[in-house]
Amino acid sequence: MDANDGKLKLRISSTMDGDDEVNIPLNQIHTPTSPTVQYFRSIFDRADIDHDGFITIQELQTMIRRNSLTEDPIPSHVVRKIHQIADADHDGRLNYIEFVNMVNDPKFRSIFGRYVTKYVNFVVPRKKLGVWDDEPDLQTLYEDEYSCCPPRLGMIIISVIEIIFFCIDEAKEANSTKYAAGPMAMLFIYDPAKRYEFWRFLTYMFVHIGHLHLVVNLIVQIFIGIPLEMVHGWWRVLVIYFAGVVAGSLGTSITDPTSKLAGASGGVYSLITAHIATIIMNWSEMSFPAVQLIIFLLITGVDVGTSIYNRYWANMEEHIGYVAHFAGAVAGLLVGIVALKNLKLTKKENVMWWIAVAVYVILMLVGICWNTFYTGYFPKQT
């Protein structure tokens, strides 16, 4: 160990050549939390390629290179030296305990600390303190909720159903999805003239207008919905998703009472705005917040542009509403505050929680009552 210019370095000499030295900076990076057993077991299992319960030198080197844990590639002899240092029983391989000790070793934290939080920190905010706690509260750590087991299938199941509906309509009649004229669309689309079929206020999310509409929604659902499910649980994410869908149909029924409604954009926008709110509120704690925000805004722009084009310039026989996008976005913000987990609930955030509940309930009651009692406002039921 050397200390030069206030920077700690680990100097490792090659066992093959005593004069060959490699300096690895040991400036401690601030990782968000103290990882739990679940994290370490997941990392160990991924590194253990042959699943024999041990990690060899080759497997350790593959783990480091595959996940780009350092800016510059670490020479093979340095990886061997790290493995040798961590191999307490000198059997030439690392068991689980030795692996955990290696990952926790302050000398190697700049390398292995990144692996633990690399993907989760790109999708969800890190703990606001941004440092290692001496006695972390494991019940309140944001990333400790990250889990792939059991598999998070909520968004996948929704997406599969949407694809099946789309394929059925295309199989019955080619290009029928462009006009919402297929059998599935006719049965499940929101139709203002059939509001008494109450399921349409929700099931319109399974019907899409054209391939682009479907693909954009699927992309957002998969790449935003699934990571959110891993952190918050599938049921919380689906609550937000369905809240956006229903808010979309109610909002469209009031602001554009003659328009039909198709697509999962209400639910998709609820996921986007719930996540955007998280990014903005935790900007300094997020990894690549600007990149994430730009990506979400681009996706939003494409989807909104497509919907507006279909509404006014596509010469479609039926008008398809786009107000659902905005209603779903509002629902995502409100329900996201309520449903998603909060790392540390402050007094101010508690007030915001109750305001979000009240505003969402009021808006939903207005929409339901409007549709129930103000029947003359809508087209004649058929």
Side-chain angles (χ1 to χ4, degrees), residues 183-243:
M184 306 306 288
M186 298 296 292
L187 181 60
F188 294 107
I189 196 173
Y190 169 76
D191 187 340
K194 297 181 179 180
R195 291 182 303 105
Y196 59 90
E197 296 177 346
F198 59 88
W199 65 82
R200 294 178 181 268
F201 284 89
L202 178 66
T203 58
Y204 75 90
M205 70 181 190
F206 297 121
V207 179
H208 288 80
I209 308 300
H211 297 81
L212 181 61
H213 190 202
L214 174 65
V215 170
V216 170
N217 283 344
L218 291 177
I219 290 174
V220 179
Q221 290 176 182
I222 296 299
F223 288 97
I224 297 181
I226 292 179
L228 287 177
E229 286 183 355
M230 291 179 178
V231 175
H232 301 282
W234 62 270
W235 71 268
R236 296 177 186 268
V237 176
L238 288 185
V239 165
I240 295 175
Y241 187 84
F242 291 139

Side-chain angles (χ1 to χ4, degrees), residues 71-96:
E71 295 179 359
D72 300 317
I74 298 180
S76 298
H77 69 273
V78 176
V79 177
R80 288 197 298 271
K81 190 64 177 181
I82 294 174
H83 191 279
Q84 179 182 347
I85 294 174
D87 184 14
D89 57 8
H90 306 292
D91 63 351
R93 54 188 186 173
L94 303 181
N95 58 34
Y96 175 71

